[in-house]
Amino acid sequence: MTKFLLALHVLVAIVAVGPVTVAASMFPPAVRRAHEEATGLGTVRLLHRICRAYAAVGIAVPVLGVATGAAMGVLGDAWLTASMALTAAAAGVLAAFVLPRQGELLEELTGQGSVVRRGTVQLAMFTGVFNLLWATVTVLMIVRPGSTTGA
């Protein structure tokens, strides 16, 4: 059962977090392009929809992660506790800063057709923090410092 849960956890992480990471990274430049060229609004809408939909599916990643950790008996290990804290931080950044700011920029584009560059730069920064948190979690999941369950 542990191997099944681990495989499912990894698959959902790849399928759910990967698209959010890529689409969120593509969003700020797509907004700037749509503003400058007055085209590409459909692309911006699509990227925002991808981020929202896959973020919802991504909730399964920590749920499966906790189930896997419990099955492996490592829930108290420092590397897993750190990973859970970083995952919560990444989810918080996505929910509090990335998705709302994407929505605001999309409204600005559709409403007045203009976007302040500072807003896209700020969103790119929040997206970078989100991506860095997920990259750190991924490394912790692979390296598992101090783990007694093997390499």
Side-chain angles (χ1 to χ4, degrees):
M1 185 62 156
T2 301
K3 289 182 181 183
F4 173 74
L5 284 171
L6 181 59
L8 198 56
H9 171 64
V10 170
L11 284 171
V12 172
I14 291 167
V15 169
V17 179
V20 173
T21 302
V22 172
S25 296
M26 293 173 65
F27 191 91
V31 169
R32 285 191 291 269
R33 249 188 326 277
H35 169 67
E36 292 166 4
E37 301 170 6
T39 60
L41 187 58
T43 300
V44 173
R45 283 188 177 124
L46 175 64
L47 291 171
H48 184 54
R49 196 169 37 237
I50 288 169
C51 288
R52 283 190 329 231
Y54 282 93
V57 174
I59 293 169
V61 175
V63 171
L64 289 166
V66 168
T68 303
M72 293 173 67
V74 295
L75 279 181
D77 286 10
W79 63 271
L80 189 57
T81 303
S83 294
M84 290 190 295
L86 292 171
T87 297
V93 168
L94 183 65
F97 299 107
V98 175
L99 294 176
R101 189 65 190 134
Q102 284 182 349
E104 291 168 10
L105 288 171
L106 188 55
E107 284 179 21
E108 288 175 23
L109 260 181
T110 55
Q112 63 209 29
S114 66
V115 173
V116 178
R117 180 170 172 81
R118 181 173 185 252
T120 61
V121 170
Q122 189 178 57
L123 175 60
M125 178 194 66
F126 291 136
T127 301
V129 169
F130 170 77
N131 292 343
L132 182 61
L133 288 166
W134 272 115
T136 305
V137 169
T138 302
V139 169
L140 283 172
M141 291 287 116
I142 294 167
V143 175
R144 301 184 309 174
S147 172
T148 59
T149 60

